Amino acid sequence: MDNGHEIAVIGLACRFPGAKGSAEFWANLEAGVESVTELTNRDLRSAGVGWRERTRPGYVRAAPLLDGHDRFDAAFFGYSPREAAALDPQQRVFLECAWTAVEDAGYAPSRFPGAIGVFAGSALNTYLLHSGVADRLRDDYLLTLIANDKDYLATRVSYKLGLTGPSMSVQTACSTSLVAVHLACQSLLTGECELALAGGVSVKVPQRAGYRHETGGVLSPDGHCRAFDADAGGTLFGSGAGAVVLKPLADAMADGDTVRAVIKGSAVNNDGFAKVDYTAPSVSGQAEVIAEALAHAEVDPSTVSYVEAHGTGTALGDPIEIAALTAAFQRGTRRTGYCAIGSVKTNVGHLDAAAGIAGLIKTILSLEHETLPPSLHYRRPNPRIDFAATPFYVNAERTRWPSAEGPRRAGVSSLGIGGTNAHLVVEQAPPSPPPRPSRPYQLLALSAATPSALETLTANLVTRLDSEIDLADAAYTLQIGREPGAYRRTVVCRDRAEAVTALREVSRVSRTPPETRPVAFLFPGGGSAGKPGLVAELAAAEPVFRERLETGLAELAALGGPDLSGALLGGERISDRPLTQLPALFLVEDALAVLWRSWGVRPAAILGHSLGELTAAHLAGVLDFPAALGAVLTRARLVQSTAPGAMLSVVLPERETRALMGERLDLAAVNTPGTCVVSGAAKLIDDLESRLAARDVTAARIPLSTAGHSRLFDPIVAPYERYFAGVRLSAPSIPFLSNLTGTWITDEQATDPAYWGRQLRGTVRFADCVTALLDHPGRVCLEVGPGRTLSSFVRARTDRLAVSSLHPASGPPALLDALGGLWRAGVEIDWAGFAAREDRRRIPLPTYPFEGERHWYAKRGRPRRSRGSGQTVSTVSTVDFSGPGTETERVIAAIWREALGVPRLSVHDDFFELGGSSLLVAEVMKRVNARFRTELSLLTLIESPTVAGLADCVDAVRAQSGDRAPDRAPGRDPAAE
């Protein structure tokens, strides 16, 4: 039964000895793997362990090693190599772990509507002591302090991930990370935050070093932790990191999160002085915290079937822990031998500040897999423990963990030297809901900071898709639960097999510009008809589109227009008569525009072709919907009343077309600089078509029986104007282009009924409109209507993106393909709006594949940076490289290179994009002012963040003070070498 205070674990991440992630960690646990490495003489020498030390009696050559502890994706997090090398590896590892955990939960922090808290702690910073970084404290005290002190672990995560909830570093020795989880739960329950990240990290430096065992001490004599065993002699310390993402259970269920486990209750206390000394454990203190956690959870201890113990394997600690657990449990039950117990320290050693989170993650994975992994090295019980008189037995073998009469429940303990104890009561997750209905096609959207990371992420997703997952939920999680990167890939697919094939072979990849791209809507005019059933198919797939169509059809009926329900919703063929074709086209364009806007794609500019200009005017607010539909219906009736005619598309420039068409035909449109449309009486069009064929000029009939934008329309101009004189016309709220002038329409034109009469009759100067549209360098174009004619006109003029909403041959997949194309181009998509009509869930998917490089300080105090095999990450921009050209630029570039730790930079590279920080600004400007005898403020670098810009400021000040500004110096640029 729920108590109303349950906290859901909705995401997790870990890096433990022998495991780069949770899947590998579970595989090791289930197989009974001990991830402790036996160290060689070479290992010990490389760690600086001398011959005398390693040959002393009691020296144990064993360590639980953390793979890649020295590697960090500095570029991903915006650090320069120099800053990365100065940063405590614990903070680097935990930063990557935090990002992974949030992604595993299916959240992108920038899109989360509430506050996200961070509660985390780290162990002693041995990197500072052993690497040479401590030498920096003399010259760079504040920067070195912030990079290495425990105080900045949580707030660094909050800053780099953009998290605005409570952020605190927690330090309670060995119980640190489980106390952090408890505090995170309390913060969620009191409403301080809506999502919380909690965990801990410990990275020992040097890694490949053993330790000295002392008889009676806490360290194992042989490199093995034998928790609760008669031969237990202590533990050994290792490195690792873990984090969980937490949310109130009710919110998690309502929001469609994947619940990994449920924290029913938690408690933290301290032993006080009720023990023999400060470092000793206390039966009463531990018993009280366990009983308090059970009380908060409102759980009978007889329903708890597993306890992940602190289990250090010490002769004193293990009996005290079992005594405390027994005292707490026997307050509610007298049953014996029913509850399994184990310790993850037998697998990975004691992970110090990360010990508690390791035990919690082990327990969560055990609940998920309904399996209890073996607690290693247990042969016979510690003689001070009478297990037969307790509720507990050591789970020495891998066993199934079935549900009995209720859900599986476990306790997790973590005990800190100094007496701070923590205990959690954890329960299996509630059943997942069955799959929900979804669109017939899915859009998978992947992104990364580098091309190589994108390829790795794609390969990882392909592997994941081989398992039974809901494709629609996977697509949703990728869309809404990932921060967009610079390199993007999209795939439209119907099922997992199709997704795998597309990802392996034909998926589209784009390099996305950093700025958000504005979109121009293109609305086609008469003659743009899709295949029969195309609109109906889209209406069946997209409720927003269908509902808007139904609204339009009802309004059309109220205006006395034709019944288009069968054509638009039933898949019947749309007649080419103006009275049906023009209203149908307008309704489809309007419904598509509503759909696109519901997905966050809003036009910054609009261009309509012929009738499409009416749709543009409506979208821009010139005409409300009834008035716009009335204008279309009036136009359709009037056009249908004109004499029959024909229209011919001619592949010639305007001047040549006019010369060949003669005086009795009219130029209806100039669509591109080399394509025009001629309109008039059918016989005259026949004659022109013959003459063009004789000249080998390409021409094609437009499938219309009227002569649009020709003199045959002269009789209907006046009645068309009268319609506009009778409706309200407002100034446009969104700029759109005039077919008549080929440039942006003015307020006076948009609100003048006579303009709309001229628009009906005059030449459509679409090519000029496109020229004006493309004046904005970042604008991309979206054709909002059936067909791809207008987007093809734009693509003929530029390599800029122009996509169509409805491809006649593919229907709904084309719409999703267009959406993917816009996202790849840098258009911001409202993915929540895209999924608003579906009941989707966030599910665990492959997380970001960090591309770590080694960032390390040598003993002499300078950073070492090396790439791994196949790495392509770079912290230096090489786009439009320009080396220093003046002596001032040379000096400043050298100062930057040393401060940032980059080997090469352009004078146009941005200081902050290279990894510069506000603290480095002070350091750099101090050196610049000292070198050039200036007194420039820190704002100078902030406002001129390039070498070239800063050099100009220096030269200007020197010139004013009488110093001669350096001349441009020829020769090689040493920064480029």
Side-chain angles (χ1 to χ4, degrees), residues 622 729-732 744-756 758:
V622 175
L729 299 174
S730 304
W744 302 101
I745 199 165
T746 65
D747 292 354
E748 293 74 21
Q749 289 169 334
T751 55
D752 179 8
Y755 168 83
W756 293 103
R758 295 193 300 274

Side-chain angles (χ1 to χ4, degrees), residues 165-226:
S167 187
M168 56 186 72
S169 294
V170 180
Q171 298 304 148
T172 60
C174 315
S175 60
T176 289
S177 52
L178 210 63
V179 171
V181 173
H182 167 78
L183 293 174
C185 292
Q186 297 302 308
S187 184
L188 289 166
L189 292 173
T190 58
E192 291 180 329
C193 57
E194 287 72 39
L195 199 69
L197 176 77
V201 60
S202 172
V203 176
K204 289 178 59 185
V205 176
Q207 280 272 295
R208 294 182 176 273
Y211 59 90
R212 287 185 62 198
H213 164 73
E214 294 181 358
T215 302
V218 298
L219 296 178
S220 167
D222 58 3
H224 302 292
C225 178
R226 295 179 168 84

Side-chain angles (χ1 to χ4, degrees), residues 73-318:
D73 198 339
F76 182 87
F77 289 103
Y79 284 103
S80 71
R82 183 171 184 259
E83 282 185 302
L87 189 61
D88 179 5
Q90 296 183 115
Q91 304 219 17
R92 305 183 215 163
V93 169
F94 192 74
L95 189 55
E96 292 184 346
C97 196
W99 183 282
T100 300
V102 174
E103 279 201 345
D104 185 66
Y107 281 94
S110 66
R111 298 194 190 103
F112 188 73
I116 302 178
V118 181
F119 304 83
S122 58
L124 175 68
N125 184 351
T126 51
Y127 178 68
L128 183 70
L129 303 177
H130 291 278
S131 67
V133 173
D135 297 341
R136 290 167 44 99
L137 287 168
R138 291 190 300 270
D139 299 322
D140 299 317
Y141 174 77
L142 186 58
L143 189 137
T144 305
L145 177 72
I146 292 173
N148 287 276
D149 194 79
K150 294 178 177 182
D151 287 356
Y152 306 102
L153 177 72
T155 52
R156 187 180 307 280
V157 170
S158 295
Y159 172 65
K160 286 298 182 180
L161 272 64
L163 313 181
T164 59
S167 187
M168 56 186 72
S169 294
V170 180
Q171 298 304 148
T172 60
C174 315
S175 60
T176 289
S177 52
L178 210 63
V179 171
V181 173
H182 167 78
L183 293 174
C185 292
Q186 297 302 308
S187 184
L188 289 166
L189 292 173
T190 58
E192 291 180 329
C193 57
E194 287 72 39
L195 199 69
L197 176 77
V201 60
S202 172
V203 176
K204 289 178 59 185
V205 176
Q207 280 272 295
R208 294 182 176 273
Y211 59 90
R212 287 185 62 198
H213 164 73
E214 294 181 358
T215 302
V218 298
L219 296 178
S220 167
D222 58 3
H224 302 292
C225 178
R226 295 179 168 84
F228 311 114
D229 190 77
D231 294 329
T235 190
L236 70 165
F237 286 93
S239 301
V244 291
V245 178
L246 308 174
K247 196 178 194 182
L249 177 62
D251 294 343
M253 297 297 289
D255 295 342
D257 298 322
T258 292
V259 178
R260 313 289 295 270
V262 177
I263 298 174
K264 296 283 289 183
S266 64
V268 169
N269 74 356
N270 192 273
D271 296 335
F273 55 58
K275 51 186 180 180
V276 296
D277 65 33
Y278 175 73
T279 62
S282 163
V283 172
S284 61
Q286 293 179 30
E288 285 303 319
V289 80
I290 297 163
E292 186 179 349
L294 288 166
H296 287 170
E298 299 179 13
V299 163
D300 187 318
S302 66
T303 66
V304 176
S305 51
Y306 177 71
V307 171
E308 174 63 27
H310 188 64
T312 55
T314 59
L316 175 65
D318 286 356

Side-chain angles (χ1 to χ4, degrees), residues 402-471:
S403 298
E405 296 179 358
R408 288 182 298 279
R409 287 176 179 156
V412 182
S413 288
S414 192
L415 317 171
I417 289 179
T420 296
N421 310 305
H423 190 81
L424 267 61
V425 179
V426 188
E427 184 177 280
Q428 71 181 72
S432 297
R436 284 92 154 186
S438 67
R439 289 179 171 90
Y441 291 86
Q442 305 303 328
L443 174 64
L444 303 181
L446 297 87
S447 69
T450 68
S452 54
L454 181 57
E455 293 305 318
T456 302
L457 184 61
T458 302
N460 293 344
L461 180 62
V462 166
T463 301
R464 182 73 174 91
L465 289 171
D466 283 337
S467 59
E468 288 294 330
I469 63 171
D470 187 295
L471 184 64

Side-chain angles (χ1 to χ4, degrees), residues 728-897:
R728 177 182 176 84
L729 299 174
S730 304
S733 59
I734 303 172
F736 68 95
L737 288 144
S738 162
N739 285 182
L740 277 179
T741 65
T743 189
W744 302 101
I745 199 165
T746 65
D747 292 354
E748 293 74 21
Q749 289 169 334
T751 55
D752 179 8
Y755 168 83
W756 293 103
R758 295 193 300 274
Q759 193 270 350
L760 174 69
R761 166 65 177 88
T763 300
V764 176
R765 307 208 63 83
F766 190 78
D768 293 337
C769 290
V770 171
T771 299
L773 193 67
L774 296 178
D775 280 345
H776 189 292
R779 189 174 283 146
V780 297
C781 298
L782 171 64
E783 187 166 359
V784 184
R788 49 184 178 177
T789 303
L790 301 190
S791 51
S792 66
F793 288 160
V794 174
R795 286 195 298 271
R797 303 275 303 278
T798 178
D799 58 0
R800 205 172 305 173
L801 180 71
V803 295
S804 56
S805 301
L806 286 179
H807 192 296
S810 56
L815 188 70
L816 297 187
D817 195 50
L819 180 65
L822 293 174
W823 179 72
R824 293 196 314 271
V827 175
E828 189 169 347
I829 307 299
D830 179 2
W831 293 115
F834 179 69
R837 295 303 186 93
E838 296 192 358
D839 189 9
R840 300 261 60 86
R841 298 178 61 236
R842 292 176 173 86
I843 61 173
L845 291 175
T847 55
Y848 192 84
F850 294 112
E851 297 182 307
E853 296 177 308
R854 188 172 194 269
H855 296 281
W856 210 254
Y857 260 76
K859 282 293 185 181
R860 64 180 183 276
R862 294 190 59 83
R864 287 178 177 172
R865 176 172 178 252
S866 63
R867 296 189 182 277
S869 176
Q871 299 296 335
T872 59
V873 182
S874 175
T875 55
V876 184
S877 169
T878 57
V879 177
D880 299 326
F881 180 82
S882 179
T886 69
E887 185 60 28
T888 306
E889 288 180 348
R890 291 178 191 276
V891 172
I892 292 174
I895 292 172
W896 280 30
R897 287 197 306 273

Side-chain angles (χ1 to χ4, degrees), residues 298-355:
E298 299 179 13
V299 163
D300 187 318
S302 66
T303 66
V304 176
S305 51
Y306 177 71
V307 171
E308 174 63 27
H310 188 64
T312 55
T314 59
L316 175 65
D318 286 356
I320 287 178
E321 183 171 8
I322 295 299
L325 281 164
T326 300
F329 271 53
Q330 287 184 345
R331 295 183 190 185
T333 182
R334 287 295 171 178
R335 292 177 60 194
T336 59
Y338 72 90
C339 183
I341 196 167
S343 172
V344 75
K345 292 179 181 66
T346 64
N347 300 92
V348 297
H350 193 320
L351 302 187
D352 202 326

